[in-house]
Amino acid sequence: MTDFDYDLITIGAGSGGVRASRMSASFGARVAIVENSRVGGTCVMRGCVPKKLLVYGSHFADDFEDAKGFGWEVGETKINWPKLIKDKNTELDRLESVYGRILRDNGVTHLQGRGRVVDGHTVEVETDGAKKTYTAKKILISTGGWPSLPDVVGVEHAITSNEALELIELPKRIVIVGGGYIAVEFAGIFNAMGVDVSIIIRAGNILRGFDEDVRDTLADEMEKKGVHIHRECVVQSIEKSGDGFSVLLRENETIECDRVMYATGRKPNTKDIGLEQAGVELTDHGAIKTDENFQTTVSSIFALGDVTARIQLTPVAINEGVAFANTQFNDNPMVMDYNAVPAAVFSQPTIGTVGLSEAEAREQGEVDIYMSRFRPMKHTLTGRDAHSMMKLVVDRASQRVVGCHMVGDDAPEIIQGFAVALKAGATKAQFDATVGIHPTAAEEFVTMREKLPDHDEDV
Ligand code: NDP
């Protein structure tokens, strides 16, 4: 039998790769992980974590305003953006070292450099021009994704979320192209920081794929806060103009701004890592094809996380890593369940959602819809014109709650709990039998009694 250097070599030390590696090592496998950038990957270094820190930071703008409604005399406030970015980076450094320690503590060897698959059992690692090869019984690709920008004249002037998290100075005006997770989250951050924000979307509304009432509510609330949403518009070109840029739309409108940011999706990192030569098949969109055990078309090569473009969410990649390690190195086959994966958007206000949108549920059968729109109690004193929306989608035949959606403060925190109920197959009667916690927004989910009159959602 061939003697391999390792049982597993993982390429890519993001959330999925790190979890898969350290769990495999904890089950006794000899594991190495190759990373050419920082340990922690997109979520920790360029995504969820720094973004959420900036969301927290930006929230104080509303908090200072709202405090006045509760008798506080708030003096002059101003954001020291460079300090926020510096402190955020210090925290990322700390997290990077924590990730490194977790790998070390679990006996995972960290190979710093760029990993390339040579064949089904060999990985080449290039560090500062020097190349070294290692062999492994199994190879795991978890190289994540990278912002994808369309081919538009002048697009080289645009930044992506990577650079937006590192801006040394706040722009006065920013144009954000795209209406997905990243666009609405950064629109919220910049808007709260006093930047004039314009979002350009080619569709009629933001957040395609989300429940229509969620989309409408968030768009309304964002517009109330001053974000300009340019619907059904396409960027024709971006030109440098003085210190800023002119964004010319096909609709013959020009928007002047200091920064242009693209948030038009992310593509899997599958280029130049030897996959095609090794025989690993990709989808038309460049994602790695795998079966339910994360096995690619080469039996000893596996892939998970964003590079497979199933559901591009950190907790999904982490759970995939757990399933992979258990199946491959713990004699405990686990298959990832992609049903009812909850999601949050850290927009302002936030979104929490789990299960089917009304439109998706209607495709499967008849539904009962319960919905509540209200002004949160806090704003009775702040005077802020802000509304929350909560919605339950119930399968009429079984009376199971198949969708639970919220736009409003703390929605992600609230929906995490309701996701357990949905996963457990809770019925509307069981929601009704649950006593509310008063006074909260969350109690609305267990006190909604009036069905909406039958209506066909306009999708
Ligand atoms: P999304 O897929 O969420 O959104 C992409 C947006 O870009 C859509 O509005 C889409 O429009 C638009 N778009 C795509 N191509 C073009 C084009 N050629 N011209 C103009 N507009 C275009 O991608 P994001 O980049 O926002 O985020 C990537 C992924 O990262 C998300 O899907 C999500 O899985 C993950 N993420 C998760 C977060 C969280 O959990 N809170 C936070 C941030 C990211 P249309 O609707 O018309 O297709």
Side-chain angles (χ1 to χ4, degrees):
M1 189 173 161
T2 326
D3 196 13
F4 295 110
D5 297 327
Y6 295 99
D7 296 314
L8 175 70
I9 295 182
T10 301
I11 305 182
S15 302
V18 166
R19 182 58 61 97
S21 301
R22 75 169 168 94
M23 279 199 85
S24 300
S26 75
F27 297 141
R30 294 167 306 140
V31 183
I33 192 163
V34 189
E35 174 60 58
N36 67 337
S37 176
R38 301 178 72 184
V39 174
T42 301
C43 171
V44 183
M45 293 300 150
R46 294 175 293 279
C48 325
V49 173
K51 174 274 310 284
K52 184 117 189 236
L53 291 174
L54 296 192
V55 169
Y56 277 130
S58 66
H59 248 282
F60 286 97
D62 276 1
D63 295 342
F64 291 135
E65 263 321 295
D66 291 346
K68 295 176 192 162
F70 290 86
W72 286 92
E73 288 171 20
V74 180
E76 198 194 328
T77 60
K78 82 183 210 306
I79 178 69
N80 183 340
W81 175 263
K83 178 174 186 322
L84 175 59
I85 295 295
K86 183 170 153 285
D87 291 349
K88 179 263 294 176
N89 287 341
T90 304
E91 172 57 8
L92 299 192
D93 292 344
R94 189 188 70 83
L95 287 174
E96 186 182 14
S97 68
V98 169
Y99 267 69
R101 196 184 65 229
I102 289 172
L103 288 172
R104 275 195 306 282
D105 287 353
N106 283 278
V108 177
T109 306
H110 176 195
L111 303 172
Q112 183 69 40
R114 185 170 167 74
R116 244 186 104 258
V117 175
V118 177
D119 60 38
H121 295 287
T122 314
V123 170
E124 176 190 270
V125 180
E126 183 174 346
T127 318
D128 298 331
K131 293 179 182 172
K132 205 166 166 194
T133 55
Y134 301 86
T135 58
K137 209 157 150 189
K138 289 168 185 167
I139 296 171
L140 176 65
I141 313 292
S142 52
T143 44
W146 200 250
S148 150
L149 284 70
D151 201 8
V152 167
V153 176
V155 79
E156 67 278 5
H157 298 306
I159 60 168
T160 68
S161 54
N162 292 344
E163 296 80 29
L165 290 164
E166 296 297 334
L167 284 179
I168 295 165
E169 211 181 306
L170 273 174
K172 286 200 169 53
R173 302 157 300 174
I174 192 166
V175 166
I176 302 179
V177 185
Y181 282 78
I182 295 179
V184 299
E185 290 183 341
F186 277 87
I189 294 169
F190 286 126
N191 179 58
M193 292 291 184
V195 179
D196 183 62
V197 180
S198 299
I199 289 187
I200 314 282
I201 52 170
R202 60 185 181 183
N205 208 348
I206 52 173
L207 291 178
R208 184 163 55 85
F210 282 71
D211 185 273
E212 292 296 313
D213 288 301
V214 169
R215 302 174 74 183
D216 288 344
T217 307
L218 181 65
D220 279 356
E221 295 300 314
M222 286 175 68
E223 285 180 322
K224 277 195 252 171
K225 281 173 175 283
V227 174
H228 315 287
I229 303 178
H230 298 258
R231 295 170 162 83
E232 294 174 9
C233 288
V234 175
V235 175
Q236 180 158 310
S237 64
I238 303 163
E239 282 169 23
K240 194 109 190 57
S241 150
D243 287 341
F245 302 95
S246 298
V247 178
L248 177 66
L249 305 183
R250 269 194 218 155
E251 293 66 28
N252 268 336
E253 193 187 339
T254 304
I255 308 176
E256 303 293 334
C257 62
D258 308 301
R259 286 278 181 189
V260 184
M261 171 175 166
Y262 267 70
T264 43
R266 296 173 61 85
K267 61 170 184 275
N269 274 330
T270 47
K271 275 217 173 113
D272 304 326
I273 51 172
L275 295 174
E276 291 91 337
Q277 298 89 307
V280 174
E281 276 182 31
L282 306 181
T283 67
D284 293 344
H285 300 292
I288 300 181
K289 281 189 199 170
T290 71
D291 66 9
E292 60 174 18
N293 291 315
F294 312 109
Q295 194 168 35
T296 69
T297 43
V298 177
S299 63
S300 56
I301 302 183
F302 299 78
L304 53 78
D306 285 3
V307 77
T308 61
R310 273 194 193 91
I311 303 182
Q312 295 176 315
L313 296 177
T314 299
V316 170
I318 289 175
N319 283 20
E320 289 178 342
V322 171
F324 168 82
N326 270 284
T327 305
Q328 300 302 327
F329 297 106
N330 195 29
D331 216 8
N332 175 23
M334 280 173 72
V335 172
M336 173 78 193
D337 178 3
Y338 295 96
N339 277 320
V341 170
V345 185
F346 294 94
S347 44
Q348 300 186 26
T350 48
I351 292 174
T353 174
V354 59
L356 305 179
S357 66
E358 180 176 340
E360 286 167 337
R362 282 188 189 283
E363 279 171 21
Q364 299 186 6
E366 292 192 285
V367 294
D368 294 334
I369 302 296
Y370 298 81
M371 190 153 72
S372 174
R373 285 183 198 276
F374 57 96
R375 190 180 192 200
M377 188 202 242
K378 177 179 168 186
H379 296 310
T380 56
L381 291 200
T382 65
R384 185 180 290 283
D385 177 18
H387 289 81
S388 299
M389 191 282 297
M390 294 164 80
K391 179 170 178 180
L392 291 177
V393 181
V394 179
D395 173 64
R396 188 169 293 164
S398 66
Q399 281 301 297
R400 276 180 59 172
V401 179
V402 293
C404 188
H405 311 280
M406 175 171 178
V407 182
D409 289 346
D410 302 322
E413 305 289 345
I414 292 170
I415 290 293
Q416 179 68 83
F418 281 99
V420 179
L422 251 77
K423 202 77 189 153
T427 60
K428 178 66 170 62
Q430 288 168 320
F431 270 57
D432 295 346
T434 305
V435 176
I437 298 175
H438 188 69
T440 63
E443 69 182 315
E444 286 289 317
F445 274 132
V446 295
T447 53
M448 286 191 241
R449 296 288 185 270
E450 295 292 316
K451 271 186 243 180
L452 282 193
D454 252 347
H455 70 293
D456 279 325
E457 200 182 38
D458 192 12
V459 206

